[in-house]
Amino acid sequence: MRPSLLVFLFALGCGAAAALPLGRMPDLQPPQPPAGADSPAGVAYREGLERFAAGDLAAAEQAFRQAAELKHVHALLGLAEIAFRRGQKQEGGRWLQQALRQAPADAHVQASVGRWQASQGHYAEAERALKRAIELDGRLVRPRMDLADLYATALRRPQEAVALYQRVLELDPGHAGAHYALGVTRLKLGQVEAARAALEQAVRLAPDNPLPLLALAQAAQVQGKTQEALQRVDQALKRHDQWAEALELRGDLRLAAGQTRAAIDDYRAAVRNEPRRAGAWIKLGMAQQVAGEPKAAAQSYQEAVRLDPQAAVAYNNLAWLSLQTQGDLGEAETWARKAVGLAPKAAQFHDTLGWILRARGQLAEAEKALARATALPGVTADVYYHLGVVRQELGRRPEALAAYRQALSLDRNHAQAREALRQLESGR
């Protein structure tokens, strides 16, 4: 990957912060008892809630079990949450299933089942349960938030998510999380000004929370307002100074502004705080490559593919780096083919493969790879220039001329294509 094309391949991965982080243990939050719930079951349940809030899970479990024996269905939700916090997935699921059998028309039970199903990756079942919870009690905010988060993330139905977040805000205008999630989802939809308005409101409602500030930084980045974006990131880092995502975004912004050393420092801090963050390792490699540190860049890319064997960008950049530094071209070709296999619609990856094949003297194969690149979205002037060079070396002058001209139609300032065209037209 050419240094000029390195910067923002991973720059904007802003996802709505879900009330339920999908794939994790569900935070069920057993509901508060209604006023006047002074039956023996209600008293035991209230004690379980108090112990649970104090972090005494053993005492909370004992109280919830007592309430459950007296047929208090919400105590089963408490037992499920305790099991999940202990990492006992199957036991937690059994408690929820018992609650569902005992009270299928209880909105809180359906909401909890929906959260659990989402955490297991059972999104259709989660959607059904959350919708049922809303039908059973239209006043509940949380199942609407959970369903909106599901639409915004796993189910990729952002317009429906927006409508649900707006309904949450009708029920609870001061819900900072809903303002935040609405802003992030609107940002994904390209509705930047509306996103900013929602995120600003989230900041006003939750000034100590760094999430809306980081999302505002991403919105400013989309609008090309680099200084504002940097200010927002710095505000977020004042609230959470070791936050890898914020450090990574600041690295993106600094690299785009030409502050390569500062960007490297940010990316290093990001991977130090979150070593398994493969995208940050790739960006560190990119910055190191721009800084003229090929050995360090290669090490960063290799760490990225160790963490994520599907990281096509890292394989591609390793291949190009090896070509630039006159490394093992056989290994470079292997990396380039791996990148193309993982992302067959990436024009730049076919370009890298073609240019490496040319370096290996395989001109016919190089021409095929470069021709494939020109048929894909995102093709650049460099690709046509490379294709022109290979066709010229194959002795196909008219096709080489056409490729150089196409390069200049995409970038009239492409100096190499202009010079190659001039020389070929002059018969040199």
Side-chain angles (χ1 to χ4, degrees):
M1 187 62 63
R2 278 36 108 219
S4 62
L5 300 173
L6 296 176
V7 179
F8 289 118
L9 289 174
F10 286 81
L12 187 59
C14 56
L20 173 61
L22 300 178
R24 302 183 187 176
M25 288 294 93
D27 169 19
L28 301 180
Q29 290 190 358
Q32 292 296 316
D38 53 0
S39 66
V43 170
Y45 177 64
R46 187 181 292 105
E47 181 180 353
L49 288 176
E50 291 171 357
R51 298 293 186 181
F52 183 81
D56 188 346
L57 296 188
E61 180 183 16
Q62 182 178 356
F64 283 143
R65 283 185 180 275
Q66 181 182 351
E69 290 171 0
L70 296 170
K71 304 301 181 183
H72 196 300
V73 68
H74 293 165
L76 298 172
L77 304 182
L79 289 168
E81 175 59 13
I82 289 171
F84 288 134
R85 293 201 178 195
R86 291 171 173 167
Q88 299 165 342
K89 299 181 183 180
Q90 292 184 343
E91 183 178 351
R94 284 194 293 269
W95 286 120
L96 283 180
Q97 292 294 346
Q98 183 177 335
L100 188 60
R101 288 192 300 270
Q102 186 173 318
D106 185 286
H108 292 286
V109 170
Q110 288 287 351
S112 295
V113 168
R115 293 174 67 75
W116 174 59
Q117 293 283 19
S119 76
Q120 300 303 298
H122 303 153
Y123 302 131
E125 294 88 342
E127 181 185 14
R128 283 196 294 271
L130 292 168
K131 281 185 170 181
R132 180 62 176 147
I134 294 167
E135 291 171 1
L136 289 166
D137 188 344
R139 300 166 299 175
L140 291 182
V141 165
R142 190 155 189 182
R144 278 194 170 84
M145 279 295 298
D146 294 338
L147 184 57
D149 293 337
L150 197 61
Y151 286 155
T153 55
L155 297 182
R156 298 183 181 181
R157 291 153 60 180
Q159 296 288 4
E160 292 175 70
V162 165
L164 278 166
Y165 290 133
Q166 289 174 326
R167 178 57 181 148
V168 168
L169 291 170
E170 290 173 8
L171 294 168
D172 182 3
H175 197 301
H179 284 287
Y180 166 66
L182 175 62
V184 171
T185 307
R186 285 198 181 281
L187 187 56
K188 282 185 174 181
L189 289 168
Q191 302 167 2
V192 183
E193 288 302 327
R196 288 175 65 102
L199 294 167
E200 292 284 6
Q201 184 65 10
V203 171
R204 284 190 287 271
L205 290 166
D208 294 330
N209 190 332
L211 285 169
L213 290 166
L214 189 65
L216 279 167
Q218 291 167 325
Q221 180 192 27
V222 169
Q223 294 179 311
K225 300 176 180 178
T226 302
Q227 287 306 312
E228 180 189 343
L230 282 167
Q231 290 171 1
R232 293 293 192 178
V233 174
D234 286 341
Q235 289 172 348
L237 285 167
K238 284 180 181 178
R239 291 155 175 79
H240 185 355
D241 62 356
Q242 302 300 308
W243 190 11
E245 185 176 354
L247 289 163
E248 185 177 332
L249 178 57
R250 190 169 69 181
D252 296 342
L253 294 164
R254 285 175 163 174
L255 188 57
Q259 301 170 17
T260 306
R261 296 310 317 176
I264 288 173
D265 291 342
D266 280 332
Y267 293 140
R268 283 197 181 282
V271 297
R272 184 168 57 248
N273 292 317
E274 198 174 315
R276 299 192 61 79
R277 199 171 181 87
W281 281 106
I282 292 174
K283 291 177 180 180
L284 175 59
M286 291 175 175
Q288 290 165 329
Q289 198 169 344
V290 171
E293 300 173 1
K295 184 175 180 180
Q299 290 173 345
S300 295
Y301 293 141
Q302 286 165 350
E303 181 64 15
V305 298
R306 185 187 71 81
L307 293 168
D308 180 8
Q310 305 301 306
V313 171
Y315 286 114
N316 178 77
N317 290 8
L318 277 167
W320 187 260
L321 194 60
S322 183
L323 177 64
Q324 284 184 315
T325 57
Q326 299 180 331
D328 184 335
L329 290 180
E331 188 175 47
E333 181 182 342
T334 299
W335 283 328
R337 291 192 182 279
K338 180 74 171 177
V340 166
L342 289 168
K345 294 184 179 180
Q348 295 300 321
F349 297 173
H350 288 277
D351 178 47
T352 297
L353 175 59
W355 208 231
I356 288 170
L357 289 169
R358 174 197 177 251
R360 301 198 75 189
Q362 301 173 30
L363 293 181
E365 288 299 311
E367 195 271 344
K368 289 178 184 178
L370 292 165
R372 279 195 293 271
T374 65
L376 294 169
V379 64
T380 65
D382 279 344
V383 178
Y384 279 101
Y385 167 69
H386 291 159
L387 181 60
V389 170
V390 170
R391 285 177 171 171
Q392 186 174 351
E393 290 172 348
L394 285 167
R396 291 156 55 180
R397 182 178 181 277
E399 292 172 83
L401 285 168
Y404 292 143
R405 288 170 181 151
Q406 185 62 36
L408 289 167
S409 75
L410 293 174
D411 178 6
R412 64 182 182 180
N413 296 317
H414 197 290
Q416 291 171 300
R418 186 173 299 282
E419 178 60 19
L421 180 62
R422 186 188 66 78
Q423 291 192 15
L424 192 56
E425 286 179 333
S426 66
R428 295 183 187 177

